[in-house]
Structure formats: C-alpha cells, structure tokens
Amino acid sequence: FASYRKTSFAERAGWLLKVAEILENEKETFARMMTTEMGKTFKSAVEEALKCAWVSRYYAEHGASFLADEVVETGAKRSYVHYQPLGAVLAVMPWNYPFWQVIRASTPALMAGNVMLLKHASNVPQCALMIEDLYRRAGFPEGVLQTLLIGSQQVDAVLNDPRVMAATLTGSEGAGVQVGMGAAKRVKKVVLELGGSDPFIVMPSANMDEAVASAVKARITNNGQSCINAKRFIVAASIADEFERRFVKAMESLKIGDPFDEMTDLGPLATLDGVRDIEEGVRKTIEAGARLLTGGKALDRAGYFYPPTVMSNVPRNSPGYCEEFFGPVASLFRAADVDDAI
C-alpha cells in the first residue's frame, strides 16, 4: 500500500483495462472453474466473466472523475473535499458469484488506491487463486490483491491487524454480525451486504406471459442461490389461480442437470449443507400448514440437486414466510389489491 497509493489514476486505469481484456479473452476458462467449483450453469458463468470485464472497464473510465476534488462553497478562501485511499481492505466474499462478488468490490477499491486482502469462500479456492493471478497478469504491482486461503475462524485476527483499515463482506447475517462487530470494536469502516427475501408483486395489469417468465427467471437465476432472487410471489387474488397454475407448470418444465450442458436450466446447489437447509425449511413450512404444489424433496441422483419447488398458503410462523431459501423454492401469497400486497 505504501507504494501503490502513489500510483496515478491513469496507471490504475490501464491495469484495470487489461483485467477487462483478459476476462473477455479467457471468459470460458474462468467460467469453467466457476461451474466446476460451485455448480452454476456454464452459460451463466460466461456471462459473469463478461460482467466482471464490464465493471473493470467502467471504473477504469470513470474512477478518476468520481474521485476528483469537490469544491465546497463556504466563506473561506478555498474549501474542497479531497479523497485519499484508506489502506488495506479485507474482503470476505461468498461462493455464489465467485468472480463478480470479488471484482465488483476490488475494482473501485483498487482504482481509489487501496489494496485488498481476499478471504474467499472455502469451497471456491481455485477461483480465489485465479483472481489473484488475474490482477498480477494485468500488471498490478505484487501484493495489491492477495488471496488468503484461511478459514472463517481466522478472519477476526486479520481484521485486528492495524494495517487493515476497512472490511467488506457479502454473505449470511451470522457472518455479517461477526465482521460488523469486529470492525465496530476497532472503529474500522465496514460495508455489509447480507441476505434477502425479495418480493415479486403481480397485479391484474400485468402481461401474464411476461409475468410468469420473469418470475421463473427471477427465482432460479444462479440455481436459485442469490440474495437478490425473487423469493416471495405476491399475486392479486383475481389472477392468483391462473398465475399459480402457469407458474407451477413453467417451474416443472425446467431442465435439471449437468451445468455444462447448454440446454440445462437448473444445475446443482453448491453444497450438501445447502440442500439440507432447504429441505428442512420446506419441511417445517409444510408442517406449519403450507400447501406443496411441486417439488419439495432433493432428487435421488448424484450431485446436490434440488428441484424447483412452489408452496402456497404459507403461514406467518413458517420459514417460507420470513426466511430466505437459498435455492429454487418459491412461496406464493394472495393479496386483495396493490396496497394489500405492499
């Protein structure tokens, strides 16, 4: 950091443009590793590599203007805001988007003159090493982005190091609590992005074909493993029967299988624990009184496959009402009108 902070915006932008170039030229190589380590479909992994190239190019082109001095009008002769890099940033990143989650955080941090320590999820170590190598190959000075192959129990010790000035985490609420508390007690800046249970509202004014197609995509993107997937589908009562019938049929028509097969819609979940967590959540929701419309049980085949699952009549006291299912499970709700839905 002591030397890298002295580099110019132009130098950093040049290295980021090279990162983008490598990602575009070798997108299938990077995608193959993503699919191998966590099971996302190969076609979506290629898209992820290209998205990483886009964000690298974006900050290369706009970073300098974002960080330019800002004049502040006061009674003083000259007042302005000047941005300076903080230092080393610890990034604790998840497996669901093994390249995007890292690069969307590292790109602006490095463009601003910071350096990064990456603690990636333990089930994507080869992706973590490829990312470190990517930045090295692009020309960034040695050590600007370093991958630490450590377990979660070692994160707090890294955060405690006085050279580490800030942290960012994308992951579960539990992990966020630990890193957030660790940063707070040391008065270090922290950015946390945690889970979600996003609503998808369908009103009578909607085009039903588009609504159903969008709903399916919003639920199964990344094999259903995204904090911003739609998870709770709230539908106007007057069209709920039709939406439910068509949505269930569309979910049942998805092709489940080898994520390297171009025809596959839904690949395996990333971990066995992920399958077990979903099974338990679905079971508890049904026991609480929900109606299972399709799916609901892990597939009896090699791999961590869980079928598209839809439940309705979901009670308030069940996981399907207020918890996040990190897989292809949808909860359906009925609303009298848009105000009721909201």
Side-chain angles (χ1 to χ4, degrees):
F1 173 66
S3 58
Y4 179 68
R5 68 177 301 172
K6 298 174 183 177
T7 58
S8 67
F9 285 137
E11 287 176 298
R12 300 169 200 165
W15 294 322
L16 285 177
L17 290 174
K18 184 62 177 179
V19 167
E21 181 183 318
I22 295 171
L23 283 163
E24 289 167 342
N25 292 339
E26 302 177 26
K27 57 184 180 293
E28 293 187 349
T29 299
F30 296 124
R32 193 168 294 110
M33 184 56 73
M34 292 185 234
T35 299
T36 299
E37 287 204 305
M38 58 71 60
K40 69 169 67 229
T41 61
F42 181 69
K43 57 189 175 186
S44 70
V46 170
E47 292 171 356
E48 182 170 336
L50 292 175
K51 190 176 182 182
C52 291
W54 163 78
V55 81
S56 299
R57 188 167 278 114
Y58 178 84
Y59 281 104
E61 294 172 353
H62 299 286
S65 62
F66 290 157
L67 295 168
D69 289 353
E70 296 179 6
V71 176
V72 179
E73 295 297 335
T74 70
K77 186 174 182 181
R78 184 177 180 222
S79 295
Y80 64 99
V81 175
H82 179 68
Y83 295 95
Q84 293 184 326
L86 286 171
V89 178
L90 170 63
V92 182
M93 294 287 110
W95 47 259
N96 60 336
Y97 291 95
F99 268 65
W100 169 249
Q101 294 285 12
V102 175
I103 289 177
R104 70 162 189 168
S106 61
T107 301
L110 268 55
M111 186 62 191
N114 301 296
V115 299
M116 182 163 279
L117 297 171
L118 170 62
K119 187 277 182 239
H120 216 328
S122 297
N123 59 325
V124 289
Q126 299 300 322
C127 287
L129 292 170
M130 288 182 85
I131 292 169
E132 178 181 311
D133 187 57
L134 167 65
Y135 281 97
R136 184 184 300 114
R137 290 166 57 201
F140 278 95
E142 191 72 23
V144 166
L145 185 142
Q146 297 180 56
T147 285
L148 308 178
L149 295 178
I150 60 175
S152 57
Q153 71 279 3
Q154 295 167 278
V155 168
D156 194 64
V158 178
L159 187 55
N160 190 48
D161 191 297
R163 294 168 296 180
V164 175
M165 301 302 293
T168 178
L169 175 141
T170 298
S172 69
E173 290 181 23
V177 166
Q178 293 302 312
V179 171
M181 290 173 61
K185 71 182 180 182
R186 296 161 180 125
V187 198
K188 295 184 178 184
K189 292 183 180 295
V190 64
V191 174
L192 306 174
E193 189 218 340
L194 310 179
S197 189
D198 292 15
F200 186 109
I201 298 176
V202 188
M203 289 289 110
S205 57
N207 177 302
M208 187 61 75
D209 290 338
E210 292 181 4
V212 170
S214 297
V216 172
K217 183 177 180 181
R219 179 61 285 226
I220 68 146
T221 292
N222 208 41
N223 299 341
Q225 301 165 122
S226 173
C227 59
I228 59 171
N229 279 133
K231 301 180 177 76
R232 295 177 293 127
F233 297 82
I234 305 169
V235 187
S238 61
I239 59 169
D241 287 342
E242 182 185 2
F243 179 86
E244 179 180 292
R245 175 178 54 80
R246 293 175 63 172
F247 181 62
V248 169
K249 183 179 179 182
M251 291 283 273
E252 290 178 336
S253 70
L254 296 170
K255 182 178 178 181
I256 306 168
D258 180 359
F260 283 104
D261 185 341
E262 287 188 2
M263 301 305 293
T264 293
D265 298 308
L266 192 67
L269 299 188
T271 66
L272 179 58
D273 283 344
V275 175
R276 289 171 173 167
D277 287 345
I278 289 177
E279 279 195 307
E280 182 181 10
V282 169
R283 177 182 59 78
K284 288 181 177 179
T285 302
I286 294 170
E287 289 176 352
R291 185 163 63 100
L292 180 66
L293 303 178
T294 189
K297 187 177 181 180
L299 300 180
D300 185 16
R301 59 186 291 180
Y304 305 139
F305 288 95
Y306 196 87
T309 297
V310 184
M311 297 179 290
S312 65
N313 301 347
V314 178
R316 282 181 177 268
N317 63 339
S318 69
Y321 190 92
C322 56
E323 295 180 17
E324 179 180 35
F325 285 116
F326 218 59
V329 179
S331 296
L332 296 184
F333 302 88
R334 298 186 179 217
D337 52 33
V338 69
D339 291 331
D340 185 35
I342 292 170

